[in-house]
Structure formats: C-alpha cells, structure tokens
Amino acid sequence: MELLDGKKVKLEILEDLKKELSNYERKLGLVVIEVGDDPASLVYVGQKAKMASELDYNFNHIKLDENVSEEEILKIIDELNNDDMVDGILVQMPLPKHLDAKKIQNSIDPYKDVDGLSDVNAGKLMHGVDTLIPCTPYGVMDILKYYNIDVEGKHVVIVGRSDLVGKPLASLMTNNNATVTVCHSKTKDLIKHTKEADILIAAVGKKGLITGDMIKENAVVIDVGINRVDGKLYGDVDFETAKEKVSFITPVPGGVGQMTVAELAKNVVKAYTLRKDNR
Amino acid sequence: MELLDGKKVKLEILEDLKKELSNYERKLGLVVIEVGDDPASLVYVGQKAKMASELDYNFNHIKLDENVSEEEILKIIDELNNDDMVDGILVQMPLPKHLDAKKIQNSIDPYKDVDGLSDVNAGKLMHGVDTLIPCTPYGVMDILKYYNIDVEGKHVVIVGRSDLVGKPLASLMTNNNATVTVCHSKTKDLIKHTKEADILIAAVGKKGLITGDMIKENAVVIDVGINRVDGKLYGDVDFETAKEKVSFITPVPGGVGQMTVAELAKNVVKAYTLRKDNR
C-alpha cells in the first residue's frame, strides 16, 4: 500500500507554476468574491490568498455584505469580465439563499471562470474541448498522473454525482479513455459496483461510506470526501479497513483536499492562456 | 421478448404535439441549413420537411453551395437568431471540411439550438437544467417511458461515447437516477460490462457488435446503430442472437431511428417555450 501524497504533488505543481510565471510579462490577476460571513469560506479564501501571494498573483478579495443584491453582484462581475488585467474570477460558495448561484456563476466570462462551474465550460468538458474545469476533478487527474497511474482502459467507479466533482470527473475520465461507472444514492447494491473498480473514487460527503470489503484487491482508491466530525477530518473511505486492500490510496487530510488550491493556481494560468488564444 | 416499436411511439408523440400546437397563437418556425450535396443529408432534410408539414411549422430549408464561407453561414445564423419568428435552427451534418462545425453549432442561439449540440446546452444537461437536448438520446428516453421501463436504480450500460448520443445519454440517465457505465473502443473486456446491464444501449455504428452472449438474461436492449450494408439497414446489435435473451429490444429499422424526427418536433416546441420563459 502506497499513500498518494497530495501535499507533495501540490508543492511540485506550485514550483512548476512559479518557474513558468517568471517568463510572463505581467502579474496574473485573480479575484475572489465572498458574500456574508461563512466561517468555512473564510478559511478557503485565506488559502487562496496565501497561494496567490506565493505565486505573486494580483489578488483581489471582494467581500460583500450578506444582504447584497443579485444585481449588484452581476454588475461587479460584469466590470471584472471587462477588466483586461483580471484573469480569473471566482465566487466563493455557498451564497446566501436570496442569490441565484447558477445565474451568478454563468455570468462570469467563461474564459475567466476558474472554478469551471459555468454551463458552457461543463459542456466544453463533455465535448472534450480544452477548457477550465473544476479544481477538484482536475486535482484527482493530476495526483494520478504524478504517480504514473494510467486511467486508459481502467474501470473507474465514481461514487457521487455532484456538479462539482462526480459529473465533471466522469467526463474527464471518459475523455481519457477510462471505462466509467457513476454510482449515487439511488444505486442499488453499491458494493457490487465498487468491487469492480480498478480505480475507486468516493465523492459523496459521508464519513466512512466505503469500507474495505467494498474494495477490490489492489485497487487504487481516491477519497474526495472531507467530513468534519468533532473538529477532526474524515474521508468518505474508512481508511483503516481500506488500507489492507488497496495498492494506492489518498489520505484525508493530505490527499485530494491539498490539490484544489494548486489546481486553482493552474486554472488562472490556463484562463490567461485561453483568453489570449481566443480573443 | 417484446419489440419496442419506435414508429408507434413516434406517431403518438406527433399526435400529442398536433393537439398542443392547435392552441398556439402562431405557427412555429424551423430552419434547416444544408451545405453542399450530401445524399444522406438530402434524405434527412426531406424527413424533417415532411414532419414540419405535418405539424404545420413554417419550414425554411436554406441550401448553401458547398463552397460557402464560414463567415457567410455565421451571418445567416446571426440573422436567424434575431428573427423572432424563428424558433428552431439546425445545421445539417456533416459539413464540408473547410467549415468549423463546432463553431457554427455554438453560434446558434442556445434557445434555438434544436439539435442540442452547443456547448452551453450540453453543460446545462450535465448540470440537470431543463434544456434542449440532442434528439437521439431524447428519443431513447421517450421510447423507454412509453413502455413504462423505469430507469431509476437500473444499471444502464452505454456502448459508445459520441457527443451526439453516448455522452448526453449518460448524463440523462444519471440525472434520471440510473447507475450508468459508459464503454467505448478503449474498454477492456467489453462483454464483462455488457453482461451486467439491466438496460444495454448500443451506439457505436458497428454492425452486429453486440451478440446474444454479451447480454444478460431479460435485459432491455436499445439499438441506436444504423449501419447500411448493401442497401440494407443493420443495428449495432445482432438481432437474431439477441432476441433470445432480452425482455425488450428495439428493432433496426423501426426502433430509435424512427424517434429522432419526432424529438426534433418536440424540441421546436420546447425551444419556443424556453425562449419565451427566459427573455
């Protein structure tokens, strides 16, 4: 059993990016819009600020009052869309309920949509067009690549079908020649499917959902779940029983969760490049 | 073994549409753009014209010379996008090689994109937003619905990952609570996967790829393949060996192929409704 070390991969990605960015004529610009005072958002925005500082991005944190109107946010996004010095725009989720998150995400210029959550970027991903894709699935692909785990021809079973992880990851895996099965809450006999997986990906958000008996001998297990219980982090995979079965596994914490900020950093560069090439 | 009769379902759909359309204040408008003289396109455009006439749509067939420039087509589409009497726009594939098919498809107003092939409509489909979806996958869902074959909780195995059929169908099935596996040319041990299917969908374009021994007892088999050999039509499923195993099967011809024009007719109505609701 080998651990897939997300932190190691993250640091390498950031080092590579620093080298690449040293050739750029200007600093890249990343804007994060945060609405209200969600405590988790505070942590996540802080991680993004730290990454931006490390990479010498121009980082702009726009913090808006909980009661801000949709109109006001759309106006701000429109201005950022038209600002040539802004390469990436991200709206920190969750948003207060009076705001239409989908509408707001879709109002971001697709070439600046570094979260990859707009409909048009999801469609490009489905159609196999090189585009901005959500950071977590992107991180899963990069961690596998780093450890030379080829997905072509492998049976990849994804548990979870969120717009953020399961669905885009299924598209990515299919486009990379894996045979993909997507399971979810309505799947009957989940274990029958998980036991078939050469690469098993858990992305549900339920502590310990996947136990060792559900895993094929020598499978690769990617645990995307981040579940906080009594201040401690747990994955969707029951690590203790799983570790006996797997060839590779991502720990929680220290696995996929480490990757998302690095992938965001990559997406800012990609956004800059795509926008340059398509305008 | 029961045959899933696409012609019967098609006629019923068209009858229902006629009733619905009799309440509309104006005729709906469908425009088909055809470039060059592909003999198959001629047949398909003819089928669309016949449907449009039956439903009393305003049908406009714009036939362009093989050497038409991309600029010219984009200009025509832009005019149609801005014409309030035009509800659906469709560019007949294939296009001559000097034209960028994706760019042209994406230039159609997403609310008039009755082929559902634009990136933004594919992304909406992935995200579970009600939108215009490609006619063939839509037809597969409707034929199953007509015969009361529920997909929820079923293991649906799709062989083929085209933008036109396999990928959108995978999204549709996942959104409708099926557990979905997508297989393709890089899948190892195809039979292992097909034998697991409660509902097996073949959408590859290879005559007789799926034989009876690859099918689970009492499975439902949907054959999307249309392969012309010596002037005769064959599906992707070897009907003679398959029919002994299945509970339901679509014949070729007379199955899914019958449905596409009916689904196009439905998409014109849906385009009209979506555009009205979103403007």
Side-chain angles (χ1 to χ4, degrees), chain A residues 90-156:
Chain A
L90 183 155
V91 179
Q92 187 67 43
M93 296 292 132
L95 288 175
K97 280 187 180 154
H98 71 282
L99 299 171
D100 182 342
K102 278 202 79 66
K103 187 175 174 185
I104 290 170
Q105 282 162 348
N106 280 318
S107 74
I108 298 171
D109 178 339
Y111 292 119
K112 298 187 177 189
D113 167 31
V114 285
D115 250 352
L117 288 172
S118 63
D119 292 331
V120 63
N121 278 326
K124 282 184 177 180
L125 171 58
M126 186 197 281
H127 288 159
V129 177
D130 188 32
T131 195
L132 295 166
I133 55 180
C135 296
T136 303
Y138 200 6
V140 171
M141 300 309 284
D142 267 355
I143 212 168
L144 291 170
K145 199 167 144 194
Y146 183 89
Y147 284 93
N148 292 312
I149 300 167
D150 193 9
V151 305
E152 176 160 324
K154 299 279 172 62
H155 188 188
V156 174

Side-chain angles (χ1 to χ4, degrees), chain B residues 1-15:
Chain B
M1 189 274 288
E2 190 178 339
L3 282 180
L4 300 170
D5 183 344
K7 194 164 186 183
K8 194 164 110 186
V9 186
K10 173 182 84 172
L11 292 174
E12 184 137 326
I13 287 174
L14 292 177
E15 279 314 305

Side-chain angles (χ1 to χ4, degrees), chain B residues 119-186:
Chain B
D119 292 331
V120 64
N121 278 326
K124 283 184 175 180
L125 171 58
M126 186 197 282
H127 288 158
V129 178
D130 188 32
T131 195
L132 295 167
I133 55 180
C135 296
T136 303
Y138 200 6
V140 171
M141 300 310 283
D142 267 354
I143 211 167
L144 290 169
K145 199 166 144 193
Y146 183 89
Y147 284 93
N148 293 312
I149 301 168
D150 193 9
V151 306
E152 176 160 325
K154 299 279 172 62
H155 189 188
V156 174
V157 177
I158 299 169
V159 186
R161 54 171 165 174
S162 66
D163 288 352
L164 204 60
V165 186
K167 288 174 178 180
L169 193 50
S171 281
L172 269 172
M173 287 289 184
T174 297
N175 293 344
N176 281 281
N177 295 326
T179 300
V180 178
T181 299
V182 177
C183 300
H184 44 74
S185 56
K186 294 285 163 52

